[in-house]
Amino acid sequence: MHRRITDRLVIATHNPGKLAEMRELLAPYGIEAVSAGELGLGEPEETGNDFRSNAAIKAIAAARATKLPSFADDSGIVVEALNGAPGILSARWAGPNKDFAAAMAQIERLLQERGATTPDKRRAHFVSALCVAWPDDHREEVEARVDGTLIWPPRGTAGFGYDPMFLPDGHTRTFGEMTSIEKHGLPPLGLGLSHRARAFRKLAEICLEPR
Ligand code: IMP
């Protein structure tokens, strides 16, 4: 049985961007989102082997510490020609200075080394895993992806991370050239295109009721 989220939800992130995005997504459901940062919670080590387990580690730690239902996400980009790298290490590839220009250049260098010069050899997808954990250890988990091709040079200054290099299937503009409403916004405002928007819709279907 799926369990509904009611009233309050701890957002287990210290990233202000993710928090703002979640608050926006949860607002139509009348859910008050409190951040782990505001509650002074620490950040657990992400020791999982996949997106799903890392999202669960973060959500479970926050639920146990706060005794409230807690939400966490884990995401990244999976490059097929690189055997799935950077994957769960997507943030780490940018280093302590969060240098995503360097991380994208690194991906491009590795693709060139492998002779991946045509679009069919440059396939990639973003993944978003979401987990809501309750203090009694009940969990709701969803995962979604968006498929596309990596282009070079990167295009666009919107978005973050690997957006300027990622051309979603069926589109002529990269995520870096789309507004955040186009990329993340749910219909009718946006296309609900991103991995996070798609995963959130799945979660809403099983755990949320519009108010
Ligand atoms: P985490 O989910 O905070 O562990 O980090 C995910 C990392 O994946 C981010 O730092 C970005 O590098 C990358 N990433 C995840 N989602 C996106 C996206 O929508 N656009 C661009 N990069 C993303």
Side-chain angles (χ1 to χ4, degrees):
M1 261 288 276
H2 291 304
R3 192 180 285 183
R4 298 267 167 187
I5 303 164
T6 52
D7 310 327
R8 284 178 97 194
L9 185 65
V10 175
I11 313 293
T13 181
H14 288 72
N15 175 335
K18 280 189 184 174
L19 178 66
E21 204 175 297
M22 276 311 292
R23 282 207 161 120
E24 229 171 276
L25 288 166
L26 290 167
Y29 301 93
I31 307 289
E32 184 198 348
V34 200
S35 86
E38 285 163 357
L39 295 173
L41 300 183
E43 284 180 278
E45 222 187 310
E46 296 180 26
T47 51
N49 294 325
D50 54 25
F51 296 106
R52 205 183 178 98
S53 18
N54 280 336
I57 287 169
K58 292 183 261 188
I60 292 167
R64 290 191 180 151
T66 61
K67 309 265 184 294
L68 288 169
S70 301
F71 165 96
D73 84 315
D74 200 56
S75 57
I77 191 161
V78 173
V79 182
E80 288 177 19
L82 306 185
N83 300 322
I88 55 171
L89 302 177
S90 294
R92 265 172 261 175
W93 274 36
N97 296 329
K98 300 195 186 335
D99 185 350
F100 284 99
M104 288 190 284
Q106 162 84 340
I107 289 182
E108 181 58 22
R109 193 176 56 74
L110 295 171
L111 285 174
Q112 292 295 335
E113 272 175 23
R114 284 159 180 72
T117 49
T118 51
D120 60 307
K121 296 196 177 117
R122 298 171 63 90
R123 302 288 300 158
H125 52 272
F126 278 114
V127 176
S128 165
L130 307 181
C131 176
V132 181
W134 277 259
D136 66 355
D137 280 344
H138 180 85
R139 285 206 296 276
E140 297 288 351
E141 296 171 304
V142 294
E143 191 171 301
R145 63 190 258 178
V146 54
D147 288 89
T149 316
L150 297 178
I151 60 138
W152 198 259
R155 294 198 319 243
T157 52
F160 67 100
Y162 300 89
D163 278 345
M165 208 181 169
F166 185 79
L167 189 65
D169 286 349
H171 294 265
T172 53
R173 285 174 302 144
T174 67
F175 269 175
E177 294 172 302
M178 292 185 180
T179 64
S180 80
I181 289 285
E182 275 180 287
K183 181 188 161 195
H184 299 300
L186 297 182
L189 288 179
L191 306 171
L193 198 58
S194 78
H195 45 312
R196 243 183 312 282
R198 289 176 182 186
F200 185 81
R201 279 174 94 173
K202 286 192 189 177
L203 187 74
E205 250 168 57
I206 57 175
C207 292
L208 290 166
E209 272 164 55
R211 297 252 170 116

